[in-house]
Amino acid sequence: MKTVQKTNKTLAQRISISLPAKLATALDDMVDSRGFQNRSQAIAEMIEESLIQHKQEDNSAIMAGTITLIYDTGKTGLLQQLAQIQRQYVQECISSQHVLLEGQYIMEVVLAQGPVQNLRELTNQMLACKGVSSGGLTLTNKLIPQVHAR
């Protein structure tokens, strides 16, 4: 593999891959439709996403992410229950944002960072609360500086 210097001072390695014609055509279509500058940019994004998914398999890996919840504020005790769960995971919960939706519904986005296992447990506990209608965890391997250092 050749190492080449990029203009932004980060190193990149040049690799060569062979693809079936059908796959190469589909890649070119995706590059055009998503506005990538070139195939390399598209392939690098796909590899990055795959690596993030792979890292999530390691329960002890430190990752950052968001927990998104949609819930009904009319459920008695729900807000207190969600706050209590977040307090149990105070080291992982960085901040939260509440957005008022139609009716009695709220969208809450919790910014979190910590071991993958803890983030999954936190998410699952909140999703299990009566009155939470939907939600999920989205993770990245990019960390918030000075919080759960590697």
Side-chain angles (χ1 to χ4, degrees), residues 97-111:
Q97 174 81 34
H98 298 81
V99 178
L100 300 176
L101 302 175
E102 296 176 332
Q104 301 183 104
Y105 286 91
I106 286 185
M107 178 189 303
E108 180 173 358
V109 180
V110 178
L111 177 60

Side-chain angles (χ1 to χ4, degrees), residues 52-68:
I52 289 169
Q53 294 297 320
H54 177 70
K55 188 171 183 178
Q56 289 180 39
E57 295 171 13
D58 178 0
N59 284 332
S60 64
I62 304 296
M63 297 185 80
T66 58
I67 302 165
T68 303

Side-chain angles (χ1 to χ4, degrees), residues 15-100:
I15 63 171
S16 175
I17 62 171
S18 298
L19 298 174
K22 220 174 169 179
L23 189 55
T25 300
L27 175 62
D28 288 340
D29 291 344
M30 186 189 79
V31 168
D32 290 340
S33 69
R34 296 212 22 219
F36 288 111
Q37 294 176 359
N38 51 49
R39 288 175 173 170
S40 293
Q41 185 183 18
I43 291 169
E45 181 185 289
M46 287 185 274
I47 291 171
E48 178 74 17
E49 183 61 33
S50 181
L51 291 171
I52 289 169
Q53 294 297 320
H54 177 70
K55 188 171 183 178
Q56 289 180 39
E57 295 171 13
D58 178 0
N59 284 332
S60 64
I62 304 296
M63 297 185 80
T66 58
I67 302 165
T68 303
L69 304 171
I70 307 295
Y71 56 84
D72 181 353
T73 59
K75 294 294 180 187
T76 305
L78 177 60
L79 298 176
Q80 292 80 8
Q81 188 178 8
L82 291 172
Q84 182 180 8
I85 293 168
Q86 288 182 41
R87 281 189 199 100
Q88 291 172 0
Y89 290 89
V90 71
Q91 289 185 329
E92 287 78 19
C93 293
I94 310 302
S95 68
S96 66
Q97 174 81 34
H98 298 81
V99 178
L100 300 176

Side-chain angles (χ1 to χ4, degrees), residues 118-137:
N118 293 9
L119 299 181
R120 281 198 187 113
E121 289 171 1
L122 167 61
T123 302
N124 290 337
Q125 285 184 32
M126 290 195 295
L127 288 172
C129 294
K130 189 172 183 177
V132 175
S133 59
S134 64
L137 173 65

